[in-house]
Every structure is written in structure tokens, then in C-alpha cells.
Amino acid sequence: MTTTSAGALAARVLPRLYRDSVTLMALASALERRAGVTRAGVVMGTPGNLTVLERSGMRPVGLTPAPDDLVLVVRGLDEDVVAAALDAGEAGLVVVEPERGGRRRPVPQTVGEGRAADPGATLAVVSTPGTYAPVVVEQALRAGLHVLCFSDNVTTADEVRLKALAVRRRLLLMGPDCGTAILDGVPLGFANAVRRGPVGIVAASGTGAQEVSCLLHRAGTGVSQLVGVGGRDLSAEVGGTMTDLALDLLSTDDTTAVVVVVSKPPAAQVAQRLLARLAGLGKPAVACLLGQDDTDGAVPVRGTLEGGARLAATLVGAPLHVGAVVPPPAPAARGVLGLYTGGTLAAETRVVLARAGVDAQVLDLGADEHTVGRPHPMIDPSARAERVAAAGGRADVGVLLVDLVLGFGAAADPATPLARAAGTAVAAARADGRDLVVLASVCGTDGDPQGLDAARRTLEGAGVLVHPSNAAAARTAVALVAGGGVPA
């Protein structure tokens, strides 16, 4: 154990113990809520994870686990706090819950065992550390299963190889690093409770797909299928392999009348092929490619999520109306800070601000460098809340932009910690004689378990100005600091 003026730091290695990444993130979240714990990490001992622990100051001296070892790391106020947290973490990993009625049912440990236990299964969800994910994904594909691969840190070479295998077998490989899908009305990962409808979505972006699907729901229409393909699918290396297969499937899907492809900017040659592919799809299509200019060619292109959703809704006869929000008086400080849990929402905000010539610091707090060994901020909002509260102490920041993402898999109540943190930030700025305006949007629907209206009321009760879309919040930021709005 290492003890410094910053507290105590220690690790515990559990040899050859594996747990999936969702379990590890949940455990890290629970440990960080313990009194006296300042940070906790629960990871597999892969070289990549050890490097990130090193960079974040969370790797104790002499920690050299094997890649298949599970590692608990805790930083706390003193040695007793850290030791107790490590004990609790180990207990949480090795406990076995009995089945109701006192009988235990063996849990499948491999794809083969899982398929034998449920021969009717058609899809496997893979949530292992990236080092091990390719083996499991290949086993699932060779077993005839579609795959949603939640795991990240899978090499591009493995992605290319596995997607080629999936295409040969006409199977979907959603991912790696795919967080959202809705297949035949069944939500997977961080999906929202949206109504069924005529719009099919292919998305190389998780929160982008969520925002578009929620805006379609708000317009009174819905989603036939939402196929996530992973953030690298439209890169030059991968070449849109899974996007092509998903479009093949949607072109013959009788429930799909309009197709939307959602992505951060793809590679230029891939974008050209994508537009040609959509032009020959046989169904109306929209290319929602963040940051690109809005055009109305053979396949219309929209450079924001809101713009793509609005056009898709119009094509199915359900216009999307995003009302304007009257901005408050502009603060003296014109600096803009964005603290986001959704990477594509952060990207859309950058697009809107850049179109208006507004410089800003917009952070995606769900990116790998912020989440190693700890939960994604959509699962555990506490880390983002700390950043929001601290923003009140920045004299250069007058406008704070935040998102709030609801849905399956997200925190049960993400609004309360964000509202408290925003209130703290505003009060700190006011005590320093400054104004801080907090702008937000809520990505969700009235059917989500957290409750869309309740989340909005919670934020508004803390003085947060809540907008009907993420792009609308960014436009208000432009109005405050630059004196005008920008195109959607």
C-alpha cells in the first residue's frame, strides 16, 4: 500500500478471475460510493488497462498482474478505508447467489453452453474486456448467432476479420463498442423506450442513435429497427462492412419505409460509397453525418442529429417541431464549457458552435480516458457531477452545456446528481459575483424508466434551462455568447 499526502492507494489481484465489463463497472461505482473512497478501479490486468491506470495515477508501484487476472484498485483517505473497500470489492466478485427455492442453476460459461441451454437463441451480447472479445464473438458467429459486442479496445484488424466472417454468414455483428440497438422492438444496451414505426436506423454512434430515435418518438412516429454497427464501421479501414449488410436487411424489411444512417464524419471515400449505396436502396434515405454541410441531392445529408431526425420525420408524414427557448440575459463571461456523457451529443454541440464561429471546450466524459476502471457516466453520474460542480469556480466560463441521457441501462436517477451539481456551480459563481447559465437537453422518452418529465422538472428546479433537443441547447449557447442563432 502506498500512502502520501493525497491519501492511500492499494490494489488487490484476483488470479484468473473473469467478470464482464458491465459487472466491473457496477462494482467500481459501488466502491466509489463508500465513505472515504476517492476513486476505485476494477479492471482485467491487460497491458492496455495497466497503461491507463498508470496515466491516471491509479497504478500502485509493483502492480504487475497477468492479462487474465482481475485487479481491484482503490484510492482513499487512509489505509483502513482502502483495505475495507478492497475487502468489499473482493466479496462482491466472489459471492454466489442461490436460486430461489434453494436450488442453484449452473450459469453457462461459454457460448456453446449458452446455446445448449437455450437452443432458440438468435443473438449473443458480448461484454468482455477487449482482449478476449474477439474469441467470444467468433464463437458466437460460428454458432449462427447475431452479435452485439459492447466491448471496446478490440483491434481494428480483429474487427475487419470478424465482420467479414459475419457478412459471409449473413449475420449482424453490431460493434465492437456498440452500445445501442433495437431489433424487432427489443431494446439492447443503452436504448430508449421508443414506439415502433416506419424509420429504420443504422448507426455508427450510440447516443446519436438515441437522440434521433427519441426525436422521432417525440414527432409521433417511431423506429422499425435500430442497428448499431460500432463507431469504426465507416472508417477507411473497416469500410462500412456492417453498414452495408444492415442496409441490405432494411431494404427488404417490410416495416421500414425510410432509412437513416447516423455517424460522426466517415472517411471521405466511404462517405461517397455510402451515399451511392443509399441512392440505390429503393427507399427514401437520409444521411445524418455530423459536421457535414446540409445538402439536398439524390440522398439528402444533414450535419446534425436534430436535422436528420427532422427530415426523416417529415418523410413519413410526422413533422418534428423543436420549439425555441428564450435565453436568459447573457453572462459577463463568454466562455462556453460542455460536459457531456454522450460522445455524439458532444460532437453535435461542437458542430453547432463551430458553424457559428464560437470557440468552446466540449468534453466527452464517456471517452476511454475518463472511464478506465470506472463506470460510464451514463451508468454512474457522480464523476460528471463533480466536474459540473467544479465549473462554478471557473471565472472564464459563463455558459455550461450538459446532456442527460435516459433509457435502459442508464442510471436509475441521473437527473438528481446533475441538478445538485448545477445548483452548486451556479451558487459558487454567484458568490464570486458572476453569472453562470446552465443549458441542458434530455435525451429520452415518456416511456423510459427514469421518466422524461420527472427528469426535466428536476433540472428545471435547480435553475437549469432545459431544451427540446441537444442542438437547441447549443443554439442557445450561441445566442448568449455570439448574439445570434445558427442553422439546425
Side-chain angles (χ1 to χ4, degrees):
M1 185 172 301
T2 303
T3 303
T4 67
S5 58
L9 173 67
R12 187 167 299 173
V13 177
L14 304 179
R16 300 184 63 82
L17 178 67
Y18 168 76
R19 294 291 185 270
D20 70 81
S21 57
V22 174
T23 299
L24 301 187
M25 289 189 294
L27 180 58
S29 175
L31 294 180
E32 288 193 343
R33 290 195 295 270
R34 292 176 64 90
V37 172
T38 55
R39 180 148 185 202
V42 188
V43 298
M44 299 302 297
T46 63
N49 284 339
L50 295 178
T51 297
V52 180
L53 287 175
E54 183 78 39
R55 291 174 179 171
S56 59
M58 285 290 288
R59 183 177 181 178
V61 175
L63 178 63
T64 56
D68 57 352
D69 293 342
L70 196 149
V71 181
L72 298 163
V73 185
V74 175
R75 183 181 293 279
L77 297 180
D78 56 45
E79 293 184 0
D80 290 340
V81 166
V82 169
L86 290 172
D87 288 342
E90 183 173 356
L93 287 166
V94 301
V95 68
V96 177
E97 294 290 339
E99 291 286 320
R100 293 180 181 177
R103 298 182 61 185
R104 294 180 180 176
R105 183 176 60 185
V107 177
Q109 299 296 309
T110 66
V111 171
E113 291 178 3
R115 193 67 190 272
D118 186 359
T122 59
L123 181 141
V125 177
V126 177
S127 180
T128 70
T131 304
Y132 314 109
V135 173
V136 182
V137 169
E138 183 167 352
Q139 290 173 346
L141 291 173
R142 293 192 181 282
L145 298 171
H146 300 288
V147 176
L148 185 143
C149 182
F150 185 80
S151 308
D152 58 4
N153 295 315
V154 174
T155 68
T156 302
D158 277 327
E159 180 172 351
V160 170
R161 177 179 62 83
L162 292 169
K163 284 186 170 175
L165 172 62
V167 168
R168 289 197 300 270
R169 293 172 173 259
R170 305 297 289 175
L171 294 169
L172 291 172
L173 169 49
M174 296 170 282
D177 200 15
C178 176
T180 302
I182 303 174
L183 302 181
D184 293 336
V186 179
L188 300 170
F190 295 107
N192 297 91
V194 298
R195 65 172 58 86
R196 300 292 298 274
V199 182
I201 300 174
V202 179
S205 157
T207 50
Q210 289 186 261
E211 177 80 346
V212 170
S213 63
C214 288
L215 290 174
L216 290 170
H217 179 93
R218 193 172 305 161
T221 185
V223 173
S224 56
Q225 311 286 347
L226 194 168
V227 182
V229 294
R232 291 187 307 214
D233 193 70
L234 291 171
S235 66
E237 296 81 2
V238 183
T241 303
M242 196 49 51
T243 298
D244 280 340
L245 178 58
L247 291 174
D248 283 346
L249 299 176
L250 289 180
S251 70
T252 59
D253 178 27
D254 292 338
T255 67
T256 299
V258 170
V259 174
V260 181
V261 175
V262 181
S263 177
K264 296 177 185 177
Q269 291 184 343
V270 177
Q272 292 177 0
R273 291 201 303 271
L274 172 65
L275 294 178
R277 177 78 173 83
L278 292 175
L281 193 65
K283 295 182 178 182
V286 179
C288 182
L289 307 178
L290 283 184
Q292 295 204 0
D293 293 336
D294 292 355
T295 60
D296 289 309
V299 176
V301 175
R302 294 295 181 265
T304 64
L305 303 171
E306 181 192 89
R310 180 186 289 122
L311 179 55
T314 299
L315 289 172
V316 296
L320 171 65
H321 300 289
V322 179
V325 173
V326 179
R334 297 303 176 92
V336 178
L337 173 64
L339 297 174
Y340 282 80
T341 63
T344 313
L345 297 175
E348 181 184 40
T349 292
R350 295 188 195 103
V351 169
V352 174
L353 296 178
R355 284 180 172 181
V358 174
D359 291 327
Q361 181 185 17
V362 180
L363 301 178
D364 168 18
L365 298 179
D368 290 347
E369 62 265 28
H370 299 296
T371 57
V372 64
R374 66 193 311 171
H376 191 284
M378 283 165 53
I379 297 174
D380 179 2
S382 61
R384 198 267 293 264
E386 292 172 5
R387 294 249 193 168
V388 169
R394 289 185 51 172
D396 61 317
V397 174
V399 178
L400 177 61
L401 281 159
V402 294
D403 62 341
L404 187 69
V405 182
L406 311 181
F408 303 104
D413 179 18
T416 296
L418 177 57
R420 289 173 178 166
T424 298
V426 170
R430 187 177 296 121
D432 195 35
R434 297 178 286 110
D435 290 324
L436 176 65
V437 179
V438 184
L439 310 176
S441 67
V442 181
C443 177
T445 73
D446 48 8
D448 284 330
Q450 299 88 350
L452 176 61
D453 289 341
R456 285 174 169 166
R457 287 194 300 269
T458 298
L459 294 180
E460 290 168 348
V464 177
L465 192 59
V466 181
H467 293 71
S469 73
N470 181 64
R475 287 196 295 271
T476 296
V478 170
L480 287 171
V481 303
V486 297

